[in-house]
Amino acid sequence: MLRFLVRRVLGAIAVLFAISVLVFLIFNVVPATNPAQRIAGKNATPQLIKNVEKEWGFDKSLPEQYWTQMKLIFTGEVKSYNAHINVDERIVEGIPATASLCIGAAIIWLAFGFLFGYLSAVRSGGWLDRGLTVLALIGISMPVFWLASILLYYFTYKIELFPPSGYEPLSDPGKWFSHLILPWISLAVLFAGFYSRVLRSSMLDVMNEDYVRTARAKGLSQRRVMVKHVLRNSLIPVITLFGLDFGVLIGGGAIVTESLFNIEGVGLFTAEALKQQDFPSIMAVTLFGAFFIVLFNILVDIGYAYLDPRIRLGASAA
Amino acid sequence: MSATPETAPVSPGTGGGPLLEVDGLRVGFATEDGRVQAVDGVDFQLEPGEVLAIVGESGSGKSVTAQTLIGLTRSPNSHIEGSVKLNGEELTTLSEAQLQKVRGRQIAMIFQDPMTSMNPVYTVGRQIIEAIRAHDSKVGKRDAHRQAIELLEAVGIPDADRRVDAYPHEFSGGMRQRAMIAMGLALEPSILIADEPTTALDVTIQAQILDLIQDLNRSRGLATILITHDLGVVAEVADRVLVMYGGKVVERGTLTDIFYDPQHPYTWGLLGSLTRLDQPRPHRLPQISGAPPSLLNLPSGCAFRPRCPHEFGKCKEVPGLEARLPEDPNHRDRCWLTAEQKRRLREVEGRIGLEEPRG
């Protein structure tokens, strides 16, 4: 286990380094406007631009610029080009909102994904299965921006059931909840539909396994066979997906939802950074997101070993 | 596990009738290509303490027959007719919940591939405990755990108190099959159905498992239905034999009947294709030409007709399963040939076998 963790942490550092280099190169190779020019303003004199270049270090070599940039990000002193705000602080401020959104949505999509997937598999071929299949496909087919707009239109404008947008801190749980319920739903619907399909097909595969027949031959109840033997052995594909999806979202990937509902989280900040081509911000949110994706992949691998005793962590390290 | 005295009557409550009585069992499955009649009229009785072998090729309906006995073939696509009586109680009409009480407790079943027949994510002990507690929730976990160890010991697993907490993948194939048998014995059933229990195992391990089954049969009076395609296995343990072909029983008799006085050409073919060490080795092992018929489209008349070198006009009619030897009413077969013809035709190169097809 320790060996596994050391190996994976080293791997994670390598991945993050590669990503940072890649992002840095892309930003410097792709012809964009000269950042010094943008910082200096529209009517800046060539002298002013030169001064800005010197001040921000744009005249240095690329490796030097990269090194400075990384140092700033990891010491928490990195400033955005445009608003001159501290990027790291801005990301940290966004974490509660993003975490609230993603964790809440994940609970909803897992609950419905499992419920619908399980029922579909148990009643496969029947009317319930067909109904849930249609429902899941509708959920998967609805784009988030569209669903979010529809929800906003009907539940905040037509009937004023929920507040329209923004994020309220958890210190007022009622407000927090009412502001998040629509974002949760719009983010969760797609995943719930998708997960129910994945779980259903995984369960149908497992149902044909010999050990399920053994379980029935032992005289176990149908429910026990389904939950303890079929469902338990169907979890690996779902866990794999969840690790990836949740890692992406918590790392600032819920861009559309956060933008539409004006939730000032990491996703919204990412959207702004991209729009303004603000390199320090882009670099910081990219590394932040990549960190979570790598982290959740490690957690998924640990989850595998827990779910299936045949998988031994570190066994392939030799 | 000493709770079963060796002389215990295995079929309590009934006046010595058969333990299991199967009558006119038919199992059909609706498929996209039409209806598959996997089992087409199977009758047999199982007496307490006997070993009945059901022999046939893949697709002969033997496994479906066995699984139907405890309702494992029930599904929206299947159609089951006929009767299965356990100690006089009809099983085919039981609800799923009632059948769950029969499975494991009265009739246990073990399967072909011990590699895949145990759930890989639970320890062997936990799977045995699960079987015990499914039928008697009053048994505490600790007691069940102790019982599991005793069961593993009883089937000859060394170090049982340690191995009980191992996962199936940490067992060898033979050990897994022993553990499967231990699981089957957990509730002291009166019948064990073993569906190809040795097919996936090495020959040496195969012999050990057969010995174990025979031991249990003798020491506990455990009536056993042994499903196999291997007449060698049958010869070692069976008291009586059913030979199945195309969903029907084509011959039924004692072990001696089947091996020394076989009446059906298909049985001859099975016997002829056995390797024998006491005979000069032929150039090629004899085989039954052709393939088993598709159950979607069985030949009319005798199902073995297209592969039978001795076919004649009458074979276009389905022969009944009848006693055709006046001296032995319990030896029955489905073949129109006379006893005299059979005795003559089954001799091939000095031993029982099926002639190569004519032409």
Side-chain angles (χ1 to χ4, degrees):
Chain A
M1 182 70 185
L2 187 70
R3 194 172 176 178
F4 165 83
L5 278 180
V6 169
R7 200 161 47 96
R8 291 305 298 263
V9 167
L10 291 177
I13 292 170
V15 167
L16 293 179
F17 173 71
I19 288 173
S20 68
V21 171
L22 209 61
V23 174
F24 182 80
L25 287 180
I26 289 172
F27 199 83
N28 277 284
V29 168
V30 173
T33 48
N34 181 354
Q37 181 143 33
R38 270 198 298 157
I39 294 169
K42 262 187 185 150
N43 303 316
T45 59
Q47 184 55 43
L48 181 59
I49 292 174
K50 268 230 149 49
N51 288 345
V52 170
E53 272 181 3
K54 211 171 177 67
E55 185 192 337
W56 289 76
F58 297 133
D59 54 348
K60 302 252 176 61
S61 69
L62 281 185
E64 261 181 287
Q65 285 194 41
Y66 172 81
W67 176 247
T68 322
Q69 185 73 54
M70 286 297 118
K71 213 164 62 186
L72 289 175
I73 286 178
F74 283 99
T75 51
E77 286 163 13
V78 62
K79 296 267 190 300
S80 74
Y81 290 165
N82 301 333
H84 296 218
I85 54 165
N86 184 313
V87 173
D88 289 349
E89 273 171 23
R90 186 59 186 74
I91 290 178
V92 170
E93 279 165 24
I95 290 176
T98 295
S100 299
L101 172 69
C102 296
I103 294 172
I107 291 171
I108 293 174
W109 93 59
L110 286 179
F112 281 93
F114 270 96
L115 181 69
F116 287 4
Y118 178 84
L119 291 175
S120 251
V122 172
R123 298 254 179 278
S124 87
W127 285 108
L128 184 64
D129 179 30
R130 281 178 223 186
L132 290 174
T133 300
V134 170
L135 211 59
L137 291 180
I138 291 175
I140 294 170
S141 316
M142 279 193 296
V144 174
F145 67 85
W146 181 83
L147 177 63
S149 313
I150 294 287
L151 288 176
L152 275 169
Y153 177 73
Y154 280 101
F155 291 105
T156 68
Y157 176 72
K158 279 288 222 188
I159 10 169
E160 294 177 9
L161 198 58
F162 297 110
S165 64
Y167 169 76
E168 293 291 330
L170 190 51
S171 49
D172 185 345
K175 259 186 157 174
W176 174 81
F177 188 82
S178 65
H179 276 81
L180 277 169
I181 185 81
L182 292 183
W184 282 340
I185 292 172
S186 32
L187 189 55
V189 162
L190 161 73
F191 291 112
F194 193 52
Y195 280 42
S196 75
R197 299 305 293 167
V198 172
L199 183 68
R200 175 186 183 272
S201 82
S202 178
M203 282 181 71
L204 289 181
D205 283 346
V206 173
M207 273 186 219
N208 288 322
E209 294 283 350
D210 288 350
Y211 55 77
V212 173
R213 189 178 53 184
T214 306
R216 290 180 68 204
K218 282 198 284 198
L220 303 188
S221 68
Q222 182 68 9
R223 177 180 303 231
R224 194 171 168 93
V225 171
M226 286 317 252
V227 174
K228 291 278 172 175
H229 291 271
V230 177
L231 185 61
R232 171 65 206 272
N233 285 278
S234 310
L235 291 179
I236 282 194
V238 182
I239 297 290
T240 310
L241 273 180
F242 183 72
L244 286 172
D245 289 337
F246 192 73
V248 167
L249 290 181
I250 201 106
I255 294 178
V256 175
T257 312
E258 289 189 11
S259 302
L260 279 166
F261 289 97
N262 196 28
I263 295 171
E264 300 230 321
V266 184
L268 187 57
F269 182 62
T270 307
E272 285 165 5
L274 288 170
K275 246 187 309 199
Q276 297 165 1
Q277 297 190 17
D278 187 60
F279 176 62
S281 307
I282 292 174
M283 188 61 141
V285 292
T286 305
L287 285 176
F288 180 79
F291 167 75
F292 278 101
I293 293 171
V294 171
L295 172 72
F296 276 92
N297 266 301
I298 297 176
L299 293 179
V300 162
D301 282 353
I302 295 173
Y304 285 166
Y306 172 75
L307 285 175
D308 189 338
R310 287 171 299 181
I311 300 171
R312 283 275 158 266
L313 296 179
S316 59
Chain B
M1 304 329 305
S2 51
T4 314
E6 298 199 354
T7 53
V10 190
S11 132
T14 51
L19 185 55
L20 188 74
E21 195 171 5
V22 176
D23 199 13
L25 188 67
R26 287 166 52 85
V27 186
F29 297 98
T31 70
E32 284 176 8
D33 301 320
R35 177 155 160 167
V36 169
Q37 194 64 47
V39 177
D40 189 8
V42 167
D43 315 282
F44 65 87
Q45 297 184 342
L46 183 70
E47 305 294 335
E50 81 169 334
V51 178
L52 173 73
I54 303 182
V55 190
E57 286 166 289
S58 313
S60 61
K62 56 194 194 305
S63 284
V64 174
T65 302
Q67 292 186 28
T68 303
L69 299 181
I70 54 174
L72 291 183
T73 52
R74 286 184 179 188
S75 88
N77 300 333
S78 68
H79 184 76
I80 300 168
E81 295 164 75
S83 143
V84 178
K85 284 197 178 113
L86 176 68
N87 290 323
E89 185 194 11
E90 180 61 50
L91 298 185
T92 52
T93 52
L94 288 185
S95 70
E96 187 64 21
Q98 288 168 314
L99 256 183
Q100 280 161 16
K101 296 192 181 112
V102 174
R103 291 179 193 146
R105 165 167 287 186
Q106 287 168 291
I107 305 179
M109 188 156 181
I110 61 171
F111 299 96
Q112 173 167 353
D113 191 349
M115 305 292 166
T116 56
S117 295
M118 290 197 129
N119 193 328
V121 309
Y122 297 126
T123 62
V124 171
R126 182 165 170 181
Q127 296 185 57
I128 298 175
I129 291 166
E130 187 183 33
I132 297 170
R133 284 165 53 93
H135 291 279
D136 190 353
S137 51
K138 287 197 290 289
V139 180
K141 280 200 172 146
R142 195 177 291 260
D143 281 347
H145 191 262
R146 190 181 40 72
Q147 277 185 43
I149 295 173
E150 285 170 8
L151 284 161
L152 290 176
E153 276 167 358
V155 296
I157 290 184
D159 242 353
D161 54 340
R162 217 168 41 79
R163 303 305 298 267
V164 70
D165 294 319
Y167 287 96
H169 70 272
E170 296 166 327
F171 276 46
S172 67
M175 285 295 159
R176 267 185 250 190
Q177 195 59 293
R178 283 176 193 269
M180 281 292 291
I181 294 173
M183 197 154 82
L185 296 177
L187 293 135
E188 299 179 14
S190 44
I191 301 174
L192 174 70
I193 303 173
D195 189 356
E196 304 257 12
T198 59
T199 307
L201 304 174
D202 293 345
V203 184
T204 47
I205 308 296
Q206 185 170 332
Q208 290 174 10
I209 296 293
L210 288 177
D211 284 349
L212 174 63
I213 290 175
Q214 200 160 30
D215 259 13
L216 295 168
N217 168 255
R218 289 195 186 132
S219 63
R220 298 176 187 229
L222 180 65
T224 304
I225 298 175
L226 181 69
I227 315 290
T228 181
H229 65 273
D230 184 347
L231 278 176
V233 168
V234 172
E236 286 195 46
V237 292
D239 299 314
R240 284 194 305 129
V241 182
L242 295 184
V243 181
M244 284 189 72
Y245 189 82
K248 286 189 170 70
V249 175
V250 294
E251 183 162 3
R252 173 173 109 189
T254 64
L255 186 67
T256 323
D257 290 342
I258 298 297
F259 275 80
Y260 296 101
D261 192 16
Q263 298 297 303
H264 197 282
Y266 177 61
T267 316
W268 309 344
L270 289 179
L271 287 166
S273 56
L274 279 178
T275 44
R276 287 176 59 168
L277 298 175
D278 59 344
Q279 302 269 332
R281 196 193 302 183
H283 296 298
R284 247 179 79 196
L285 277 176
Q287 56 177 29
I288 305 174
S289 65
S294 156
L295 294 169
L296 276 168
N297 189 17
L298 277 176
S300 62
C302 171
F304 190 57
R305 184 163 62 101
R307 300 170 79 186
C308 184
H310 310 301
E311 183 218 350
F312 65 111
K314 189 122 168 100
C315 298
K316 291 196 178 69
E317 295 166 44
V318 181
L321 184 65
E322 283 161 20
R324 295 168 197 269
L325 294 167
E327 69 275 16
D328 190 355
N330 289 322
H331 186 178
R332 300 184 173 200
D333 70 273
R334 287 185 195 267
C335 180
W336 290 119
L337 295 169
T338 64
E340 195 52 48
Q341 286 171 311
K342 287 170 179 166
R343 219 159 290 159
R344 186 163 46 78
L345 292 172
R346 73 188 177 201
E347 289 288 329
V348 178
E349 291 167 15
R351 51 181 285 206
I352 289 170
L354 192 63
E355 273 176 22
E356 295 291 313
R358 284 164 290 190

